[in-house]
Amino acid sequence: EPEVTQTPSHQVTQMGQEVILRCVPISNHLYFYWYRQILGQKVEFLVSFYNNEISEKSEIFDDQFSVERPDGSNFTLKIRSTKLEDSAMYFCASSGAGVRTDTQYFGPGTRLTVL
Amino acid sequence: GNSVTQMEGPVTLSEEAFLTINCTYTATGYPSLFWYVQYPGEGLQLLLKATKADDKGSNKGFEATYRKETTSFHLEKGSVQVSDSAVYFCALRRDDKIIFGKGTRLHILP
């Protein structure tokens, strides 16, 4: 069964450093998403991406964050200057196969630890 | 606004017990509703969904019915197993995003 994959599974970085989290969505999907889950809290929507542009973003997704689909398979989340409060599990998701569908399929997550 | 409220955990049951995890939602219109499950050390997996009122989603012995009149989507299973131990998230879809509840941790004792 096709699945969303994410790398790395765990990333440790120093405050102020840039990080790039990588995702490979399901191959025929057209809609891509990032969510995060701070330890012990809700899973929160960050951003959605379609047709090479952001379609919706949350208040969390400020100028420190950016997303990109650099090629036909990868979808990345960049945090330019990490803060302690960026420590969280980051989930990538994808949906759709030609038409917009409800079901979003999630990857296993990347745990980001900012020291 | 749009939100999901689910029962606080943890919930601890013995194997073969009946499970109910309550979930209610607040939303305009009739959003699609979901239950996701997160097993220890893993990501979020879709467990079941319902897209309109009175729909029943089911998977792996779990069921949930979309109740418009009570704005609820309670998760049930007739006989739980140790392998069902996980965190369960009720969620709704509004536009591009999935809005999650806080999650309910379920422990099943052998």
Side-chain angles (χ1 to χ4, degrees), chain B residues 11-73:
Chain B
V11 173
T12 302
L13 296 172
S14 297
E15 205 166 23
E16 299 183 5
F18 184 86
L19 168 71
T20 301
I21 300 178
N22 290 337
C23 171
T24 57
Y25 67 90
T26 302
T28 52
Y30 303 107
S32 294
L33 302 175
F34 306 86
W35 278 98
Y36 281 85
V37 58
Q38 187 176 29
Y39 296 103
E42 298 185 18
L44 296 164
Q45 298 178 26
L46 178 67
L47 181 60
L48 54 84
K49 70 174 187 178
T51 57
K52 60 183 189 297
D54 300 325
D55 264 4
K56 179 187 282 189
S58 61
N59 186 24
K60 299 181 181 179
F62 290 89
E63 293 182 340
T65 301
Y66 191 142
R67 300 283 187 204
K68 182 181 65 173
E69 61 278 7
T70 54
T71 62
S72 64
F73 193 55

Side-chain angles (χ1 to χ4, degrees), chain A residues 48 55-56 100 102-104, chain B residues 32 36 49 96-98:
Chain A
S48 59
S55 48
E56 189 174 351
R100 193 172 183 174
D102 276 323
T103 302
Q104 295 183 14
Chain B
S32 294
Y36 281 85
K49 70 174 187 178
D96 281 3
K97 57 182 174 283
I98 302 287

Side-chain angles (χ1 to χ4, degrees), chain A residues 10-14 83-84 86-88 111-115:
Chain A
H10 191 188
Q11 173 95 44
V12 181
T13 189
Q14 296 290 325
K83 308 185 192 69
L84 295 176
D86 293 328
S87 295
R111 181 168 297 285
L112 176 65
T113 302
V114 182
L115 302 177

